[in-house]
Amino acid sequence: APPTAHMYTVRRHAVRLSALKQQLHLWRGSGAGCSKLTAAGTGSSEHLSLAKPRNYHRRRNMSLKCQRDSYLRSVSARVVACDPCAPGAGEGEGEAERYRVTLEDTVLFPGGGGQPCDYGKVNGGPVFEVQHETGGGGGGTLVTHVLGQPVQVGSEVRVDLDWSRRFDHMQQHSAQHLITAIADKEFGYKTTSWSLREEGYCFVELDTKSVPQGTMEAIEDQCNECIRSSIPMVPHWYHTESEELKKVRSRGLPDNFTGNEVRVVEIEGLDANMCCGTHVSSLAHLQCVKLVRCETRKGSSVLVHYVAGGRVLRWVKEASEREKALTKLLQSPTAEHVEAVDRTMKNLRQLRKTVSKQTKEIALLLAAQELGKQGPAVVCMHRKDGDVDFLKYAATELEAKGVEVILVTGGDFFIFAGNKECTTELGPKVTELLGGKAGGRKGWLQGAVANHKNISEAQELVRKWKETHPTN
């Protein structure tokens, strides 16, 4: 079979011809007329040049400038309303005053379709949040911007976009459309959700129990083949009752959608999907897509974690830095890192076994020494560098030897064991003296030590209790 991108190229040319004929038919019947229509022969090919009708942008009145041109970075817009809102609203924190400013249009995307809202500036001041004023899913034309300063209603303001953040979102969102389309058309995996995170990996959730590694690699290869083919990615607007809209992949319009136009984003010849978000104009602008790993969700779906565009470059940079650090730590070349780590982990496991064995031997030896010194009524022992395992070995040994009351401390831990009446009565007091928290069962209390200076006082408390309860 021919490469995937070649098949999509053939389909794309067919779609373009169909769209051209449709536009010509619509413009002829719109009453607006075309300002220019030419046909010029060049060799064996013929080119049609259609200028946009005079009412072209008015026909798109349900969309924002950021949706008509995702690459537009600034715009002048009229202020429709300016109202104070709750202090600290939006991204900013604290008690600073905030104003909800409604603009007639904007280059700041208000969020939707899984894509976060944009940030930027209005008249030089920071924008903390952007929201649709009415409707949803791109259905509303007015957008509110949460600002730190009021602006005059009716005035023109300059809106500037945080382009670096926006372009990153465009790359990740467009990559999601591409991954979803390839996974569906080529392998039958339906996308049920996706997540665009501010940093690191994004993910696409596929409705399948597993995705074989070979399939992951095939999806990635086909995505990057489409990117190398520079397939256009274009938005369209359709009436909610149009036949074209019925052919579009969609999970339906949101409940709060208003208006009669729906925005559809098409990867030419490959996919068309309802979407209000901002996208690249060509898949070439994605640069590349990397599917990093799969995560199974309780056997019901799979999360495919991915990065695209600039995030791939950052991911490679971070991986390279880790690789350099590991080379230095492991004293081995990159190709041998896995073997070196595996060897180190095996040595570590063996060392842990040896340490555990020796810890137990020391704990039993010291427990026997303290039992000989203090007798079987009460044994209080402390080892500064004793860990939890040391305490457990010692307390268990003393309990097995018939010691009635046991208080073992070491490091930042303690074990209070033996006589159930004693541990029940003194447990809270010992825990309070040692300044930590404890839990366990009757006759065995285990907890943390925060006040090491009170260890001697806790030992004395236990000894005095036994002196007053000689028959217990």
Side-chain angles (χ1 to χ4, degrees):
T4 303
H6 293 173
M7 292 189 292
Y8 296 147
T9 300
V10 174
R11 297 178 200 167
R12 191 164 76 245
H13 288 312
V15 169
R16 281 176 170 172
L17 181 59
S18 175
L20 188 63
K21 291 178 178 178
Q22 181 184 18
Q23 286 182 347
L24 179 59
H25 174 73
L26 289 174
W27 290 350
R28 280 174 172 170
S30 66
C34 296
S35 58
K36 187 178 181 182
L37 174 60
T38 63
T42 307
S44 60
S45 62
E46 187 175 75
H47 301 275
L48 282 177
S49 173
L50 289 176
K52 295 176 182 177
R54 289 184 293 274
N55 66 350
Y56 179 82
H57 286 298
R58 289 199 297 274
R59 283 156 48 81
R60 268 76 172 139
N61 62 353
M62 295 305 292
S63 61
L64 302 167
K65 285 192 174 181
C66 60
Q67 294 171 312
R68 297 193 294 272
D69 182 358
S70 297
Y71 291 81
L72 194 61
R73 304 188 190 190
S74 64
V75 71
S76 293
R78 187 174 65 87
V79 179
V80 176
C82 179
D83 302 295
C85 57
E91 184 194 48
E93 297 179 355
E95 298 301 319
E97 291 185 347
R98 296 284 184 264
Y99 297 87
R100 198 170 295 280
V101 176
T102 305
L103 301 180
E104 198 171 48
D105 209 338
T106 186
V107 290
L108 302 187
F109 179 61
Q115 181 177 330
C117 73
D118 287 332
Y119 294 137
K121 294 182 178 181
V122 171
N123 279 355
V127 176
F128 300 110
E129 189 177 2
V130 189
Q131 296 178 335
H132 278 289
E133 174 70 14
T134 58
T141 56
L142 299 180
V143 171
T144 60
H145 304 64
V146 177
L147 310 180
Q149 298 291 333
V151 291
Q152 182 67 41
V153 175
S155 65
E156 291 280 327
V157 294
R158 179 184 172 89
V159 186
D160 293 297
L161 170 68
D162 179 347
W163 170 248
S164 176
R165 181 173 177 273
R166 154 72 81 73
F167 189 59
D168 171 63
H169 289 180
M170 287 166 59
Q171 288 183 318
Q172 308 315 311
H173 196 168
S174 298
Q176 176 268 313
H177 278 233
L178 178 59
I179 295 167
T180 291
I182 297 294
D184 183 9
K185 288 182 177 293
E186 301 300 326
F187 302 97
Y189 298 141
K190 302 293 183 183
T191 293
T192 55
S193 70
W194 82 291
S195 175
L196 196 169
R197 295 166 175 168
E198 288 291 346
E199 295 181 355
Y201 306 149
C202 300
F203 71 76
V204 174
E205 182 178 17
L206 301 180
D207 186 18
T208 180
K209 292 183 179 180
S210 65
V211 179
Q213 181 61 32
T215 302
M216 276 274 287
E217 293 172 0
I219 294 174
E220 180 182 294
D221 289 345
Q222 292 193 35
C223 285
N224 286 302
E225 188 177 355
C226 291
I227 291 171
R228 288 190 295 272
S229 298
S230 303
I231 298 176
M233 196 168 185
V234 292
H236 303 283
W237 286 261
Y238 297 117
H239 192 278
T240 51
E241 301 299 326
S242 69
E243 289 299 318
E244 292 88 347
L245 192 60
K246 296 177 182 178
K247 305 173 187 176
V248 171
R249 177 173 59 83
S250 170
R251 291 195 298 243
L253 292 169
D255 294 336
N256 62 343
F257 178 84
T258 60
N260 56 14
E261 277 189 332
V262 177
R263 185 170 178 264
V264 171
V265 175
E266 179 192 12
I267 302 175
E268 285 193 355
L270 173 61
D271 180 63
N273 182 31
M274 288 185 193
C275 186
C276 62
T278 56
H279 291 275
V280 296
S281 60
S282 168
L283 292 186
H285 296 178
L286 296 184
Q287 298 173 290
C288 62
V289 169
K290 176 63 184 173
L291 306 189
V292 181
R293 62 185 174 89
C294 279
E295 176 187 345
T296 302
R297 273 194 167 181
K298 297 180 180 179
S300 60
S301 64
V302 171
L303 303 186
V304 177
H305 296 266
Y306 73 92
V307 284
R311 293 198 191 192
V312 176
L313 299 177
R314 290 193 293 274
W315 180 73
V316 171
K317 180 182 178 181
E318 292 167 3
S320 177
E321 290 173 350
R322 284 192 296 269
E323 188 176 272
K324 291 177 183 177
L326 283 171
T327 298
K328 184 177 181 180
L329 289 170
L330 298 172
Q331 294 293 302
S332 66
T334 301
E336 298 176 10
H337 280 180
V338 174
E339 291 81 358
V341 170
D342 183 58
R343 187 167 54 249
T344 300
M345 293 302 296
K346 287 179 180 177
N347 292 338
L348 180 58
R349 285 192 291 270
Q350 185 59 47
L351 284 173
R352 283 175 175 169
K353 289 180 180 179
T354 302
V355 169
S356 178
K357 181 180 178 180
Q358 293 178 349
T359 297
K360 183 175 182 179
E361 291 174 354
I362 294 171
L364 298 185
L365 177 62
L366 295 180
Q369 290 178 355
E370 293 299 327
L371 176 57
K373 292 178 184 178
Q374 302 180 41
V378 179
V379 172
C380 296
M381 60 181 291
H382 173 73
R383 185 175 178 84
K384 186 177 181 180
D385 61 352
D387 59 10
V388 173
D389 287 339
F390 173 86
L391 269 60
K392 287 181 178 179
Y393 290 139
T396 300
E397 176 68 8
L398 291 170
E399 191 175 44
K401 295 293 184 181
V403 177
E404 297 180 49
V405 181
I406 305 160
L407 178 60
V408 185
T409 54
D412 295 325
F413 306 97
F414 77 89
I415 291 178
F416 185 27
N419 186 286
K420 293 181 180 180
E421 182 182 350
C422 179
T423 55
T424 301
E425 182 178 334
L426 295 187
K429 296 179 182 179
V430 170
T431 302
E432 183 180 358
L433 273 174
L434 299 178
K437 294 181 179 180
R441 51 182 169 80
K442 283 188 176 182
W444 187 283
L445 193 67
Q446 182 175 320
V449 176
N451 297 328
H452 295 82
K453 63 181 180 180
N454 291 340
I455 289 177
S456 297
E457 187 177 346
Q459 291 176 342
E460 188 63 25
L461 178 67
V462 171
R463 292 191 180 99
K464 284 184 178 180
W465 186 93
K466 185 56 184 172
E467 291 174 1
T468 59
H469 299 75
T471 58
N472 289 69

